[in-house]
Amino acid sequence: MKNLESNPENDISTEGKIKNAARTVFHKKGFAAARTRDIAEEAGINLALLNYYFRSKEKLFNIVMLETFQNFFASIATVFNDSDSSLEGKIEKFASDYIDLLFQEPEIPLFIMSEIRNNPVELMKRIDLKGAVFNSVFFKQYIERVKEGKIKELHFLHFMMNFMGLIAFPFIAKPLLKELSGSNEEQFNEIVAERKTLIPVWMKAILTS
Amino acid sequence: MKNLESNPENDISTEGKIKNAARTVFHKKGFAAARTRDIAEEAGINLALLNYYFRSKEKLFNIVMLETFQNFFASIATVFNDSDSSLEGKIEKFASDYIDLLFQEPEIPLFIMSEIRNNPVELMKRIDLKGAVFNSVFFKQYIERVKEGKIKELHFLHFMMNFMGLIAFPFIAKPLLKELSGSNEEQFNEIVAERKTLIPVWMKAILTS
DNA sequence: GTCTATAACGTGATAGAC
DNA sequence: GTCTATCACGTTATAGAC
């Protein structure tokens, strides 16, 4: 699974530096709390240049947000449509790859959920999530498994809530969960890493319970 | 389980009206995106009164945030420390009660996670989450069950991630999940309501898999 | 206590020199 | 293209009348 970002860090153009900085700051603080001055500083350039290249904070944000969103779901689609693997294989691969990905960019789930809250419609119009799900090989295999009676009849939405939640929730609730468990960064990450192999086992247990 | 809020809606004092309005607006938009004008309007009072009573936006926010946070976890502690019920009974009761609670205030999980991100330490210092967890009857029963060999040996943090995630994630990711599944509000809520009884079954499956 | 009017401030955006 | 300086605006906060 490739990196979530299309602009690698070795993008040394000014425009690229600004976009990378914007991504960092927006992901960490969200649109409303992020200041263009923060972004300029992070990029090591002057505030005026930001507007020179991107016209406005909002335009810059829309670019970053759309890219993040697209990359986030493109990486889902890849695994979901691999035609060589079984349903179980896809579950294993997805859990493992996605948790690795989230270790690299842990703020993304909370960022996406927060920003969608403030902009429920606009963004998702541009990506056909529904189609991507229901036309995926993964979905067809799921339905097939249910028909065969190999797994319990369970609304696919439940499945997605469970699967995505088990993967993403530790990253969304990390500060809380660390505090609540008294873990330090290292211990916490170790536990989360274990989930790469545990989640597929649990999903199977859920689907056959 | 009591309502999350300590200031009921029949609080007709001006101070109470402002606080209730602030809670509504902050929960929906977060600190940075919320405007004091929005809060004043929501409360049906003048902007100047907000500062008269609470001095500043930040002070008002801190009050609301602390209250939300305390109430949120007070309602956890209640179920977790009921000494009359078994571990399984607590899981059932908690899942059911908490999902009902979140139907009343669906923005709270995302609100809490978002605001903790911007203020990781301050807030949680004031509540001994760690102690509340490890001293709870629930935790002791969990450890006991593991010792008995009745459930799998699984780090309690995994258990909490799974349990909390299964309950809260649908509310955190609601706009996304609705879009992705093509559900309308009613259909979505129906599915989530089913989880009140499904989650205990799944937790059991996870713990014995 | 509650209001109107306004001050003070922070932030996004631009003008203009280089 | 890049910078410094500054403007323009929205929002928080306060002064002062009632």
Side-chain angles (χ1 to χ4, degrees):
Chain A
M1 197 177 292
K2 69 173 163 56
N3 192 284
L4 277 181
E5 310 311 336
S6 60
N7 285 326
E9 289 187 10
N10 57 16
D11 186 338
I12 46 148
S13 73
T14 300
E15 188 173 348
K17 276 195 290 187
I18 295 172
K19 211 204 278 186
N20 284 334
R23 187 162 34 235
T24 302
V25 175
F26 281 137
H27 283 185
K28 190 152 63 188
K29 311 225 256 183
F31 176 78
R35 297 180 314 155
T36 52
R37 280 168 170 80
D38 299 335
I39 297 171
E41 191 186 0
E42 172 83 21
I45 52 93
N46 190 276
L47 174 56
L49 270 185
L50 187 149
N51 290 291
Y52 173 76
Y53 278 103
F54 294 96
R55 289 291 304 275
S56 76
K57 177 187 179 183
E58 196 173 354
K59 284 190 171 56
L60 176 55
F61 176 78
N62 285 338
I63 291 170
V64 167
M65 181 72 193
L66 184 62
E67 250 182 55
T68 299
F69 205 68
Q70 279 174 335
N71 289 327
F72 194 65
F73 291 103
S75 44
I76 293 183
T78 305
V79 180
F80 269 37
N81 285 306
D82 172 32
S83 51
D84 290 344
S85 56
S86 65
L87 183 71
E88 290 76 9
K90 285 185 182 58
I91 291 175
E92 281 175 33
K93 180 162 176 50
F94 185 78
S96 179
D97 287 4
Y98 224 77
I99 287 175
D100 278 337
L101 203 60
L102 291 180
F103 271 126
Q104 290 172 43
E105 308 227 38
E107 337 76 1
I108 285 193
L110 190 50
F111 168 75
I112 289 184
M113 304 309 167
S114 301
E115 299 303 327
I116 283 181
R117 164 180 64 171
N118 300 329
N119 195 351
V121 205
E122 278 309 306
L123 188 74
M124 291 190 295
K125 273 192 204 155
R126 304 191 56 169
I127 297 175
D128 180 22
L129 279 177
K130 197 177 153 188
V133 168
F134 291 124
N135 296 324
S136 69
V137 176
F138 188 91
F139 179 69
K140 282 164 191 148
Q141 285 177 319
Y142 183 86
I143 298 301
E144 195 57 36
R145 270 286 193 291
V146 172
K147 275 192 192 149
E148 290 170 8
K150 299 269 181 101
I151 59 180
K152 251 201 133 182
E153 179 136 10
L154 184 67
H155 196 294
F156 191 64
L157 183 50
H158 278 307
F159 176 86
M160 289 301 290
M161 286 173 175
N162 297 350
F163 194 33
M164 292 174 58
L166 288 173
I167 292 170
F169 186 75
F171 294 91
I172 292 171
K174 178 174 173 177
L176 188 66
L177 290 164
K178 273 178 69 176
E179 181 67 22
L180 172 150
S181 65
S183 308
N184 62 30
E185 185 75 12
E186 194 188 6
Q187 293 167 326
F188 186 82
N189 286 342
E190 198 181 325
I191 295 283
V192 174
E194 289 174 9
R195 300 174 73 80
K196 292 197 277 181
T197 53
L198 286 172
I199 288 173
V201 177
W202 296 332
M203 287 307 295
K204 189 172 182 182
I206 286 174
L207 285 172
T208 55
S209 67
Chain B
M1 193 178 292
K2 72 172 161 54
N3 192 284
L4 277 181
E5 309 311 336
S6 63
N7 285 326
E9 289 188 12
N10 58 16
D11 187 337
I12 45 147
S13 73
T14 301
E15 187 172 348
K17 276 195 291 187
I18 295 171
K19 210 203 279 183
N20 284 334
R23 184 161 38 234
T24 302
V25 175
F26 281 137
H27 283 186
K28 189 152 64 190
K29 311 227 253 181
F31 175 78
R35 298 179 316 156
T36 52
R37 282 171 166 77
D38 300 335
I39 297 171
E41 191 185 359
E42 172 83 21
I45 53 93
N46 190 276
L47 175 56
L49 271 185
L50 187 151
N51 289 293
Y52 173 76
Y53 278 103
F54 295 97
R55 289 288 304 274
S56 76
K57 177 188 179 182
E58 195 173 355
K59 284 188 170 57
L60 176 53
F61 176 78
N62 285 338
I63 290 170
V64 167
M65 180 73 191
L66 184 63
E67 251 183 53
T68 299
F69 203 68
Q70 280 174 334
N71 289 327
F72 194 65
F73 292 103
S75 44
I76 293 183
T78 305
V79 179
F80 269 38
N81 284 307
D82 172 32
S83 51
D84 290 345
S85 56
S86 65
L87 182 71
E88 289 75 8
K90 285 185 182 58
I91 290 175
E92 283 175 33
K93 180 164 175 49
F94 185 78
S96 179
D97 287 4
Y98 224 76
I99 287 176
D100 278 337
L101 203 59
L102 292 181
F103 271 127
Q104 291 171 44
E105 308 227 36
E107 335 76 2
I108 287 194
L110 189 50
F111 168 75
I112 290 184
M113 303 312 167
S114 302
E115 298 305 326
I116 284 181
R117 164 181 65 170
N118 300 329
N119 194 352
V121 204
E122 278 308 305
L123 189 74
M124 292 189 295
K125 271 191 203 155
R126 304 191 57 170
I127 297 175
D128 181 21
L129 278 178
K130 198 176 152 189
V133 167
F134 292 124
N135 296 324
S136 69
V137 177
F138 188 92
F139 178 70
K140 282 164 191 148
Q141 285 177 320
Y142 183 87
I143 298 301
E144 195 56 35
R145 271 288 192 291
V146 172
K147 276 193 191 147
E148 291 169 8
K150 300 268 180 101
I151 58 179
K152 252 201 133 184
E153 180 137 11
L154 183 67
H155 196 294
F156 191 64
L157 182 49
H158 278 306
F159 176 85
M160 290 300 291
M161 286 173 175
N162 296 349
F163 194 33
M164 290 173 57
L166 288 174
I167 292 171
F169 186 75
F171 293 91
I172 292 171
K174 177 173 173 177
L176 188 65
L177 290 165
K178 273 178 70 177
E179 181 67 24
L180 172 149
S181 65
S183 309
N184 62 30
E185 185 75 12
E186 194 188 8
Q187 293 167 328
F188 186 83
N189 286 342
E190 198 181 324
I191 294 283
V192 174
E194 288 175 9
R195 300 173 73 82
K196 292 197 278 182
T197 54
L198 286 172
I199 288 173
V201 177
W202 296 332
M203 287 307 296
K204 190 171 182 181
I206 286 174
L207 286 172
T208 56
S209 68

